[in-house]
Amino acid sequence: MTWRLARSLDVLRSQINRLASERSTESDGTKGDDAHAATKSDHNPNAAGVVCAIDITNDPTHEVHCQLIAEAIRASKDPRVSYMIFNGFMLRSYAKPNIPAWTWALYTGPSPHPHHIHISVRADRADDAGPWRIDRRAGSL
């Protein structure tokens, strides 16, 4: 199956690359491997062939602080976001029982994502290619 990354996530990755051109990409990811294909994951292409998730490596040495990126996105309440996972916590843009939207909660999935942030976007907003509100002026990266 032919696939492509959601345009919104391509824009996010490009913005981060411009702000931190020397950053590590060791834990970056887009389309999932065969193990992902056997599970429900936004790293799998959807029916339109669009991958709606990206992983960005946490690399404070080269000024990529995933917690700051996550907080900037949380503060902006970007309507493209479905959820984010980083360092044992998950944030959803929608409410769950006892967990309000846009708040961090413990993540108990198979990987706590300590080396990268996982960002999933909503399929209906995946190709919104507007800029993300992360920049050095805002102290977000």
Side-chain angles (χ1 to χ4, degrees):
M1 168 191 247
T2 302
W3 68 275
R4 65 174 175 79
L5 183 61
R7 287 183 183 93
S8 60
L9 296 174
D10 195 36
V11 168
L12 176 61
R13 181 176 54 192
S14 293
Q15 282 181 246
I16 292 169
N17 287 344
R18 279 193 304 276
L19 292 169
S21 61
E22 300 297 317
R23 76 178 185 89
S24 171
T25 58
E26 182 178 347
S27 295
D28 280 16
T30 54
K31 182 181 177 292
D33 58 14
D34 290 341
H36 271 90
T39 66
K40 183 177 191 273
S41 171
D42 287 338
H43 284 295
N44 295 328
N46 63 20
V50 178
V51 172
C52 292
I54 194 169
D55 297 330
I56 299 290
T57 304
N58 189 47
D59 186 8
T61 300
H62 295 101
E63 299 189 37
V64 177
H65 301 270
C66 286
Q67 187 65 43
L68 294 177
I69 292 169
E71 284 304 311
I73 293 171
R74 183 195 62 76
S76 74
K77 292 186 170 60
D78 194 300
R80 296 172 286 193
V81 173
S82 179
Y83 66 91
M84 299 185 286
I85 304 169
F86 179 62
N87 208 22
F89 290 88
M90 182 175 192
L91 177 143
R92 295 175 183 88
S93 63
Y94 51 91
K96 295 282 278 184
N98 300 316
I99 305 172
W102 299 103
T103 60
W104 291 101
L106 285 176
Y107 175 69
T108 58
S111 168
H113 297 71
H115 305 295
H116 65 270
I117 185 170
H118 170 100
I119 302 167
S120 284
V121 293
R122 296 173 30 182
D124 64 333
R125 301 273 181 122
D127 286 334
D128 176 345
W132 293 76
R133 288 177 45 192
I134 59 163
D135 61 40
R136 292 192 196 287
R137 291 182 310 269
S140 304
L141 187 64

